[in-house]
């Protein structure tokens, strides 16, 4: 079970969180024209990386905040966590 | 019955307390402190079970967790448990055990024919033989394999025992209380670190209990006792015996199973049987020691062949002789310690040492005691079927290839020592890259991935002095970094016998003309010949060899077999062992009961139960409940002898003709506040929300980004910046997360807050043509006329002093209202509604009638919004705004979603107007078409229409728009039904929707 540092609450066990997918995907702006290919990339296409990966988690049974977590998908090492409004650097 | 193999004195058992027990129906006794194994051996019982594949007689091989085959069916306090290791099970008064894997008895086993058919049971036998013909699998092969391969029987009764879970945090978790565990625990505890010391056995001390050493002028055991009692006094230390750390998971989380009551005849009141600990440790010190390796020789599975360390443990801990004419077969000095122990107890052993001229202190001692030592000698094969009667021995050449002439000598046990294998399971589970240590011929932990270190014998350090020194130091260093204390512990003086190098010999060659089975894996019956076949057949990767032959699998996890298997593969392949590599060690290290894993989450505790504030009213009024997610909802209210069908029909009919009331507390409710609330709704719902006036409700549909319908419900504008959203019962939590996602990550600029208020409000739906009359009585001071509270209107009103919210919304399709009050007033509200409705014939209705009402009205619910349908499929396309963008809109222009013959919701009526249509059935054009019959659609929901008094279903049908009036067939192969049906509109009742507006 992973140990995730919620930037709001501190270190908590994985079972308080739910996984939310790739954090680097930006939702296209509402009302803007977008090609089929770009839309498919947003909705469906994911890289399934091995290694460092920025992903979203929600602290569901805690502060309910969505957070950004940088995790190694192969080793589960967590390098960094950010609040929702903090940019991935 | 006398214990003919019990020594006159000695051991750590309590000879003042006799304990009687039963094995295979026969009465025996042992002493307090015995294991089932030691007590049976004391009574001269060595035949315990039959082996897995060949049903060969099997006895004891080890003395603890290393035991591969002394597995029994245990009976305790009216319960039974399979696969209990006799070497681990402590004796208690009234214990009963039986052999497994034998029929009709362990002495005469029919399956033993397999032993004589063994040439037909080679590696991969099951894969090869039982593959064809395919039709034989279910009826012949599978039952045969299941019967033949069983290891004990699981109880089918409800387990009355209690199992608990515990979460713990510590600075250091130390796994094993041998010398390295004790020393590191002591020095880290002295630095003030929070320490958990876990010992698998009932007694602390590990090898200190059996080795002849001296630490600080005390015996090993005395030293261990004094350290343990000091540790127990320290507030920062938790010391646990009977506790096996069996799994090492991510982020330094380890799981330990504590056997609290297994050693007692009966679990004490308020005590659990076992407790599972989830331990998050800053640092882990693995002090799990090592397990003796067998040397492989002919018939090395015969009862009476066992590890030499086990034989020593039986003598020193239990005061039991494993035999009176022992043969010790060794390639290192450890065998001598066992032989010396025999000699001290008045038994003359013979040592066969594979080494030519070994010299060391211990060997010198043995010589001085006049122990018969044969150098360059090996055991070729054990003789005897159910117990060792003699051994074929021979001299072996210096290159270990040639055997001299074979002689037979009498013996009643063969104690084997093939040197020591570090127990690296936990380190390997943690992700540690293990490395091969040439000196000890075994793998040891290498580079750590997590915060763990391995100490002592588990790390390949086999001298006590070095182990203690290293462990004291590591404990001090690691704890110092956590606590910033540096309390040095003085190092005790250690006296131990020095040993000399072992011989890397591990397998005795077969003598000419003999074809003895030489077992590598005792639990899974894998012999040398099986591995040879697997390699001949082209299996190369050790992982493949493992799966093909079952080497190192199952509960044993290769504890005694792993390295010898690798030696063999590397020898045949002409590689070195590290090039072959070892297979992955997986948790659990040792079997864990399912009860412990499940813990308290059984029966009604397997999930939370949510009840509405009106629950007790429903109970009092004969409600039959149904699980709706984690909620309990009334399915129907039983009157007299009514069944579900009759009751729900009555309740639904009453809504259509009079008035009914339904508990809708379970609907998800989300409170939305802020100046941008309308904008949020406008973006997440498919329809327009910016112009909804205060005091009005609107129906809305939410999509996922991929265009699939996620949820529907009504949202009401309470005041300028305040909305009350309802969701379906099932999707309540997901919708909240969905809104939070967009607010926090996508549109942080929106000034809106959302919070769940599901529990805060109790809800009652009052539905039916007479519902307004009921409302008038409930709220005499409010204007609830059609003008005062029109369809989709909202008002706040006073319910006899309680603040109530009235929403004029309808799921049933009738004139209807939903009244909400704060949860604590829910029961009060309900009683008032029943009271006020009495003169109008009000009846409560449950979820079954609720479904009937919505189905015949063509209102969609979870069975249509099933995560596979888009708005068009559910005839919700009218709710898609053309003017604005919303979540999921872009996906709706995908080709498949815009297809002309897209599936659509329709109504289905059986032609005979009688036959009920099973939900989930398929719609086909021709019921006699050859298979696979093209499927046109499926039945999503069925009911008995109370309006038309005939069955009616909703279906999602291909090109449904153009299918109205068509005649099709409903097919349900599961229920073996073929029903001719007509496709009709999904709005089977009041298609114009006049009633809700009346």
């Amino acid at each position: 079970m992973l140990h995730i540092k919620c930037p709001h609450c501190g270190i908590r066990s994985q079972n308080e969180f739910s996984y939310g997918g790739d954090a680097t995907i930006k939702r296209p702006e509402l009302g803007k024209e977008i090609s089929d290919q770009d839309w498919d990339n947003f909705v469906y296409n994911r890289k399934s990386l091995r290694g460092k990966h920025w992903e979203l988690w929600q602290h569901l049974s805690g502060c309910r905040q969505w957070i950004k977590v940088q995790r190694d998908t192969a080793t589960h090492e967590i390098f960094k966590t950010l609040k929702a409004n903090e940019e991935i650097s | 019955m006398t214990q003919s193999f019990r020594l006159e004195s000695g051991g750590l058992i309590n000879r003042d307390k006799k304990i009687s027990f039963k094995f295979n129906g026969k009465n025996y006794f042992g002493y307090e402190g015995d294991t089932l194994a030691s007590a049976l051996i004391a009574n001269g019982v060595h035949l315990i079970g039959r082996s897995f594949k060949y049903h060969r007689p099997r006895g004891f091989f080890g003395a603890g967790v290393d035991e591969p085959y002394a597995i029994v069916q245990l009976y305790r306090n009216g319960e039974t448990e399979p696969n209990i290791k006799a070497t681990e099970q402590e004796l208690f008064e009234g214990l009963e055990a039986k052999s497994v894997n034998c029929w009709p008895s362990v002495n005469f086993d029919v399956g033993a024919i397999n032993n004589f058919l063994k040439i037909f049971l080679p590696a991969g036998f099951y894969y090869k033989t039982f593959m064809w013909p395919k039709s034989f699998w279910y009826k012949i092969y599978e039952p045969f394999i299941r019967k033949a391969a069983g290891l004990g029987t699981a109880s089918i009764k409800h387990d009355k025992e209690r199992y608990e879970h515990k979460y713990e945090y510590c600075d250091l978790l130390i796994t094993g209380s041998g010398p390295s565990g004790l020393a590191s625990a002591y020095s880290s505890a002295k630095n003030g670190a929070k320490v958990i010391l876990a010992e698998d056995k009932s007694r602390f001390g590990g090898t200190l209990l059996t080795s002849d050493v001296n630490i600080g002028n005390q015996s090993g055991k005395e030293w261990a006792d004094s350290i343990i009692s000091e540790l127990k006094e320290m507030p920062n230390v938790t010391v646990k015996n009977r506790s096996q750390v069996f799994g090492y998971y991510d982020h330094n989380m380890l799981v330990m199973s504590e056997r609290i009551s297994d050693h007692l005849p009966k679990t004490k009141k308020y005590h659990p049987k076992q407790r599972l600990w989830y331990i998050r440790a800053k640092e882990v010190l693995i002090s799990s020691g090592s397990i003796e390796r067998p040397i492989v020789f002919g018939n090395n599975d015969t009862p009476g062949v066992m590890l030499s360390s086990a034989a020593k443990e039986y003598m020193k801990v239990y005061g039991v002789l494993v035999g009176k004419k022992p043969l010790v077969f060794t390639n290192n000095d450890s065998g001598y310690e066992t032989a010396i122990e025999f000699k001290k107890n008045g038994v003359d052993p013979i040592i066969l040492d594979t080494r030519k001229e070994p010299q060391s202190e211990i060997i010198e001692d043995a010589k001085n005691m006049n122990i018969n030592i044969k150098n360059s000698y090996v055991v070729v094969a054990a003789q005897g079927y159910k117990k060792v009667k003699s051994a074929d021995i021979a001299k072996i050449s210096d290159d270990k290839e040639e055997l001299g002439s074979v002689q037979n000598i009498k013996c009643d046990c063969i104690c084997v020592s093939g040197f020591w294998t570090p127990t690296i399971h936990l380190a390997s589970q943690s992700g540690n890259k293990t490395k091969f240590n040439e000196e000890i011929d075994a793998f040891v932990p290498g580079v750590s991935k997590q915060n763990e270190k391995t100490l002592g014998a588990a790390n390949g350090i086999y001298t006590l002095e070095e182990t203690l020194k290293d462990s004291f130091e590591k404990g001090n260093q690691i704890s110092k970094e956590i606590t910033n204390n540096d309390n040095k512990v003085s190092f005790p003086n250690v006296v131990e016998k020095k040993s000399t190098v072992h011989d890397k010999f591990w397998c005795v060659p077969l003598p000419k003309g003999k074809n003895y089975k030489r077992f590598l894996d005792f639990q899974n019956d894998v012999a040398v010949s099986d591995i040879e076949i697997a390699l001949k057949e082209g299996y190369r990767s050790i992982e493949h060899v493992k799966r093909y032959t079952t080497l190192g699998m199952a509960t044993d996890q290769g504890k005694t077999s792993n390295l010898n298997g690798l030696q063999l593969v590397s020898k045949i392949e002409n590689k070195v062992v590290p090039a072959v590599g070892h297979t992955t060690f997986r948790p659990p290290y040792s079997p864990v009961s399912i009860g412990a894993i499940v813990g308290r989450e059984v029966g009604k505790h397997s999930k939370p139960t949510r009840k509405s504030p009106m629950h007790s009213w429903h109970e009092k009024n004969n409600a039959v409940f149904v699980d709706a997610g984690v909620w309990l909802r009334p399915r129907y209210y039983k009157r007299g002898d009514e069944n579900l069908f009759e009751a729900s029909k009555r309740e639904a009919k009453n809504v259509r003709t009079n008035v009914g009331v339904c508990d809708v507390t379970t609907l998800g409710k989300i409170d939305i506040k802020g100046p941008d609330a309308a904008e949020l709704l406008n973006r997440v719902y498919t329809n327009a929300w910016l112009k909804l006036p205060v005091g009005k409700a609107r129906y809305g549909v939410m999509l996922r980004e991929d265009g699939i319908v996620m949820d529907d419900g009504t949202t009401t504008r309470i005041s300028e910046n305040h909305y009350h959203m309802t969701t379906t019962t099932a999707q309540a939590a997901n919708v909240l997360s969905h809104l939070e996602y967009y607010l926090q990550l996508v549109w942080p600029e929106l000034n809106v807050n959302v919070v769940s208020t599901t529990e805060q409000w109790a809800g009652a739906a009052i539905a039916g043509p007479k519902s307004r009359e009921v409302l008038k009585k409930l709220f005499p001071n409010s204007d609830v006329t059609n003008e005062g509270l029109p369809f989709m209107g909202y008002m706040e009103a006073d319910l006899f002093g309680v603040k109530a919210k009235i929403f004029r919304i309808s799921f049933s399709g009738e004139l209807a209202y939903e009244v909400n009050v704060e949860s604590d007033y829910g029961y009060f509200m309900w009683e008032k509604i029943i009271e006020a409705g009495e003169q109008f014939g009000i009846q409560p209705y449950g979820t079954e009638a609720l479904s009937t009402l919505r189905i015949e009205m063509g209102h969609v619910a979870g069975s249509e919004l099933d995560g596979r349908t888009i708005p068009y499929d559910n005839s919700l396309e009218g709710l898609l705004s053309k003017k604005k963008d919303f979540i999921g809109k872009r996906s709706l222009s995908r080709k498949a979603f815009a297809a002309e013959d897209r599936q659509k919701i329709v109504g289905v009526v059986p032609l005979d107007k009688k036959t009920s249509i099973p939900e989930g059935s398929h719609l086909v054009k021709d019921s006699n078409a050859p298979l696979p019959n093209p499927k046109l659609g499926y039945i999503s929901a069925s009911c008995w229409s109370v309006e038309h008094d005939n069955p009616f279903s909703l279906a999602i049908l291909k090109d449904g728009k153009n299918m109205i009036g068509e005649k099709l067939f409903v097919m349900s192969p599961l229920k073996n039904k073929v029903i001719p049906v007509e496709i009709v509109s999904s709005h089977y009742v009041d298609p114009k929707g006049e009633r809700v507006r009346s």
Side-chain angles (χ1 to χ4, degrees), chain B residues 233-350:
Chain B
E233 293 302 312
M234 296 168 84
N236 53 326
V237 181
T238 306
V239 174
K240 282 280 158 196
N241 61 339
R242 302 188 176 99
S243 297
Q244 175 75 261
V245 178
F246 65 79
Y248 199 137
Y249 300 90
D250 292 308
H251 294 190
N252 259 35
M253 197 191 73
L254 292 94
V255 187
M256 171 172 98
S257 101
E258 182 187 3
R259 303 180 306 276
I260 295 169
S261 310
D262 294 74
H263 64 292
L264 302 171
K266 201 175 151 192
T267 305
K268 285 185 203 152
K269 209 175 178 186
Y270 308 122
H271 281 224
K273 186 175 185 218
Q274 294 175 357
R275 181 181 290 132
L276 206 67
W277 293 55
Y278 292 89
I279 302 171
R280 191 79 73 163
K282 285 187 188 144
E283 298 280 346
V284 178
L285 295 180
I286 298 169
S287 50
S288 45
S290 55
I291 290 176
E292 203 164 22
R293 277 204 286 279
I295 301 176
V296 180
F297 57 87
N299 301 333
N300 55 340
D301 63 331
T302 311
V305 178
M306 65 168 68
L307 293 173
S308 109
S309 58
K312 190 172 69 169
E313 188 168 334
Y314 286 117
M315 286 185 273
K316 294 207 77 161
V317 175
Y318 304 100
V320 168
L321 285 174
V322 299
K324 291 177 180 170
K325 271 183 90 56
L327 201 63
V328 176
F329 180 28
T330 187
N331 68 2
N332 70 96
D333 286 6
S334 299
Y336 288 78
E337 292 176 21
T338 304
I340 288 169
E341 197 57 37
F342 271 118
K343 186 82 182 177
K344 279 186 188 164
N345 285 298
V347 175
D348 275 324
I350 300 171

Side-chain angles (χ1 to χ4, degrees), chain B residues 345-402:
Chain B
N345 285 298
V347 175
D348 275 324
I350 300 171
I351 297 178
L352 303 190
D353 192 331
T354 64
R355 297 172 296 184
K356 202 175 177 188
E357 293 165 330
Q359 280 184 342
S360 74
E361 257 182 273
I362 301 166
I363 296 171
E364 220 38 54
D365 282 356
K367 283 180 182 160
N368 292 339
M369 291 173 89
N370 289 324
I371 292 174
N372 184 356
I373 302 168
K374 289 175 175 292
N375 285 116
S376 293
Y377 256 91
V378 295
V379 175
V380 173
Q383 299 295 353
Y385 183 56
K386 289 175 192 167
K387 178 76 199 291
V388 171
K389 288 196 176 108
S390 66
D392 288 345
I393 64 169
K395 208 161 173 110
I396 192 159
S397 63
D398 291 353
D399 64 359
K400 303 287 195 281
E401 300 287 341
E402 302 295 324

Side-chain angles (χ1 to χ4, degrees), chain B residues 867-925:
Chain B
R868 295 182 294 179
T869 53
I870 60 170
Y872 176 88
D873 305 348
N874 294 302
S875 287
L876 297 169
E877 62 270 28
L879 286 161
L880 304 176
S881 169
K882 291 198 171 65
K883 290 187 189 135
K884 58 147 194 175
D885 196 1
F886 51 83
I887 296 300
K889 185 177 189 179
R890 179 65 180 79
S891 289
L892 295 178
S893 56
R894 293 176 66 219
K895 235 187 203 166
F897 286 180
E900 275 297 308
D901 62 348
R902 180 84 202 163
Q903 58 179 7
K904 201 170 186 58
I905 187 166
V906 293
V908 177
V909 179
L911 292 186
D912 68 358
K913 302 265 173 119
K914 271 191 232 145
T915 312
S916 292
I917 301 171
E919 290 177 349
S921 306
H922 287 187
L923 283 156
V924 297
K925 193 153 188 78

Side-chain angles (χ1 to χ4, degrees), chain B residues 840-860:
Chain B
F840 307 105
I842 202 166
Q843 287 179 18
Y845 64 101
T847 55
E848 200 67 22
L850 184 78
S851 290
T852 296
L853 294 165
R854 75 92 187 167
I855 291 168
E856 61 174 4
M857 197 53 71
H859 285 171
V860 291

Side-chain angles (χ1 to χ4, degrees), chain B residues 169-180:
Chain B
Y169 296 81
C170 65
D171 294 328
L172 280 96
L173 171 64
I174 300 168
T175 68
S177 73
S180 57

Side-chain angles (χ1 to χ4, degrees), chain B residues 733-754:
Chain B
N734 289 345
V735 170
L736 184 65
S737 275
H738 182 74
L739 298 178
E740 286 165 337
Y741 173 88
Y742 286 101
L743 286 173
Q744 292 171 23
L745 287 157
V746 186
W747 311 312
E749 71 279 5
L750 290 187
N751 195 354
V752 189
N753 255 314
V754 293

